[in-house]
Amino acid sequence: MIIEPKTRGFICLTAHPTGCEQNVLNQIEYVKQRPIKNGPKKVLVIGASTGFGLASRITAAYGSNAASIGAFFEKPPSEGRPASPGWYNSAAFETQAHKDGLYAKSINGDAFSNEIKKQTIDLIKADLGDIDLLVYSLASPVRTHPETGERFKSVLKPIGQTFTDNTVDFHTGEVKEISIAPGTEDDIKNTVAVMGGEDWQMWIDALKSAGVLSEDFKTVAYSYIGPSLTEAVYRKGTIGRAKDHLEATAFKITDALKDINGQAYVSVNKALVTQASSAIPVIPLYISLLYKVMKEEGVHEGCIEQIERLFNARLYAENLELDDAGRIRIDDWEMRDDIQAKVLELWKQATTETLPNIGDLKGYETDFYNLFGFKVDGVDYDKDVNEMVDIPGLQ
Ligand code: NAD
Ligand code: NA
């Protein structure tokens, strides 16, 4: 079939297999040039199909010859209906990994559930024995609690007072003011239940009691801080409370892993266009200005550049360069004073009229379409493509 993008607000309902494949191959090429000394060998990535998790899987596999199991929640294709992009990404990754002699298998389902944890542990036991790295890169709007069955929904709201500022609709380029009413105590609780650290801890507990964590095991989860501009709606909002909880969980996990000399880390990553971040108000305007400044300064990175640097210059380097709160910072270039001063200056000038010049709306838009395999360089979109793609290592 011929597959075209079909967008509805922050999402795209279609995905292109060839474009997704090309994105994955480009990431593989990038990492192959940058091998990791003493890197991971047996890796589980939760949230492995898109964004930072996919980049983590590719970095471990192609930077360090790691065997990888990817867990994710993606929609398979049906006749005439393309799969979700993470499906095609995983198909492309595992096809290439198998060609290159790398172990790569995957599990598609709700990682919050006990069933998926059990299935994953059985697979580790059968094929790998144990793992030395778990990357926790899940981003989800909902979670069903495995013990109580309660269904939680996360929300992106400020706490305490209404937040009002500009945002951009990147489809139309229109800059307009939005107001978001503050979240309730329940909103906070629900968001922490979905995006906080409880499920990460549950994974570790399950893996540890099954005896499938190696000596010197490491685990890393991803967080975000960002500038004062987005603070009220992000870091000091409901999602920020979840990130506080995730960060605190890292210390609890490290304590629980003492006997195997294990370590849990949180890495604070850069703001990037992913399916998760496109849905956050104000962030698209911030990202379009940030991209412009970081590209001009020659320090722009995408997911693969971020994660390759995380592995090579922090996680598997001599010095992790932890901040005062014990976190890894690969948002260091985003947060540079000169970069932030320029973004703040541009923020004050941003209107529908000025943004095409002062911001990188084009870059934002291209990255958004690229997430779904569209507008990827070198792909012929007029060519008939088979939507019924299998993931070769899918269990
Ligand atoms: P993403 O949407 O690209 O990836 C989410 C992944 O989670 C996908 O693999 C998806 O299949 C999987 N997933 C979702 N629900 C699932 C479920 N129930 N069971 C199993 N898998 C499920 O998101 P991302 O932007 O790469 O985010 C990953 C992490 O990085 C998040 O913690 C996010 O907060 C953090 N982070 C993102 C940014 C950013 O700007 N995008 C910046 C810093 C940190
Ligand atoms: Na991810």
Side-chain angles (χ1 to χ4, degrees):
M1 67 186 288
I2 302 291
I3 306 176
E4 286 173 346
K6 229 191 254 176
T7 57
R8 294 271 181 291
F10 307 123
I11 56 163
C12 180
L13 301 172
T14 51
H16 200 281
T18 319
C20 289
E21 178 187 34
Q22 191 57 54
N23 282 334
V24 167
L25 296 176
N26 292 346
Q27 294 191 45
I28 289 175
E29 265 326 296
Y30 181 83
V31 170
K32 270 183 170 172
Q33 316 301 319
R34 296 162 175 83
I36 303 156
K37 263 201 222 108
N38 306 315
K41 287 295 167 224
K42 293 184 269 183
V43 178
L44 169 61
V45 180
I46 298 166
S49 53
T50 57
F52 284 113
L54 174 65
S56 304
R57 191 178 191 191
I58 293 173
T59 300
Y62 282 91
S64 186
N65 278 311
S68 66
I69 295 175
F72 45 75
F73 208 1
E74 299 293 343
K75 184 172 67 81
S78 56
E79 294 291 340
R81 290 197 90 196
S84 56
W87 179 277
Y88 291 134
N89 292 339
S90 302
F93 171 78
E94 292 188 6
T95 302
Q96 189 61 41
H98 294 178
K99 272 190 207 160
D100 295 328
L102 288 164
Y103 173 99
K105 290 191 182 176
S106 49
I107 289 182
N108 189 31
D110 181 8
F112 294 127
S113 71
N114 291 334
E115 294 71 35
I116 289 294
K117 289 184 176 72
K118 179 172 184 312
Q119 206 185 322
T120 308
I121 288 167
D122 290 345
L123 182 61
I124 296 170
K125 278 185 177 162
D127 288 3
L128 304 177
D130 59 18
I131 54 169
D132 55 72
L133 174 68
L134 167 71
V135 177
Y136 190 85
S137 185
L138 217 150
S140 172
V142 290
R143 172 177 175 224
T144 301
H145 197 281
E147 310 299 338
T148 64
E150 196 177 347
R151 191 172 162 83
F152 301 103
K153 278 184 83 167
S154 76
V155 296
L156 294 154
K157 291 183 182 173
I159 294 172
Q161 56 202 15
T162 298
F163 170 81
T164 303
D165 208 329
N166 283 337
T167 190
V168 64
D169 176 340
F170 67 90
H171 292 300
T172 62
E174 192 193 350
V175 176
K176 57 178 179 220
E177 203 175 79
I178 50 152
S179 280
I180 313 168
T184 62
E185 280 305 315
D186 265 354
D187 286 333
I188 297 171
K189 192 190 98 202
N190 292 340
T191 305
V192 171
V194 179
M195 289 297 286
E198 188 186 21
D199 181 62
W200 184 24
Q201 175 121 42
M202 283 178 158
W203 268 99
I204 297 290
D205 290 347
L207 292 159
K208 180 143 193 294
S209 21
V212 295
L213 300 182
S214 75
E215 193 71 19
D216 301 326
F217 166 82
K218 285 190 219 288
T219 183
V220 63
Y222 299 140
S223 190
Y224 184 64
I225 297 178
S228 53
L229 276 172
T230 61
E231 201 167 58
V233 72
Y234 195 95
R235 193 64 208 210
K236 291 192 173 154
T238 51
I239 182 73
R241 291 294 178 85
K243 291 302 188 190
D244 290 345
H245 187 271
L246 182 82
E247 292 174 12
T249 303
F251 296 103
K252 291 214 253 170
I253 293 176
T254 297
D255 274 346
L257 295 177
K258 281 227 163 73
D259 57 326
I260 57 168
N261 195 34
Q263 278 286 342
Y265 298 105
V266 162
S267 171
V268 182
N269 299 354
K270 174 197 188 205
L272 280 172
V273 181
T274 65
Q275 290 180 77
S277 70
S278 332
I280 307 178
V282 189
I283 298 279
L285 179 57
Y286 170 69
I287 289 185
S288 69
L289 299 173
L290 179 73
Y291 273 26
K292 179 83 165 189
V293 173
M294 291 188 83
K295 284 177 183 178
E296 273 170 10
E297 295 294 317
V299 291
H300 176 71
E301 296 173 305
C303 286
I304 197 67
E305 290 86 357
Q306 276 270 289
I307 300 299
E308 181 276 325
R309 193 157 67 88
L310 168 66
F311 279 50
N312 254 322
R314 300 287 193 282
L315 261 189
Y316 294 95
E318 290 287 292
N319 185 350
L320 288 106
E321 299 176 38
L322 302 180
D323 70 9
D324 294 345
R327 302 169 295 209
I328 298 174
R329 304 297 297 265
I330 48 164
D331 65 338
D332 48 347
W333 298 348
E334 167 181 0
M335 299 310 284
R336 254 170 46 184
D337 289 343
D338 60 322
I339 303 269
Q340 285 300 324
K342 284 186 181 145
V343 172
L344 186 61
E345 199 41 54
L346 294 175
W347 186 274
K348 293 179 194 149
Q349 302 164 22
T351 62
T352 307
E353 291 67 41
T354 61
L355 190 60
N357 291 318
I358 68 169
D360 186 23
L361 257 188
K362 265 261 143 321
Y364 190 101
E365 199 191 12
T366 305
D367 275 12
F368 176 80
Y369 281 105
N370 283 180
L371 297 175
F372 303 90
F374 296 109
K375 302 194 186 199
V376 177
D377 284 345
V379 175
D380 179 0
Y381 290 100
D382 296 328
K383 219 174 127 184
D384 220 31
V385 64
N386 179 14
E387 72 281 17
M388 300 302 290
V389 177
D390 289 328
I391 301 177
L394 186 67
Q395 298 305 289

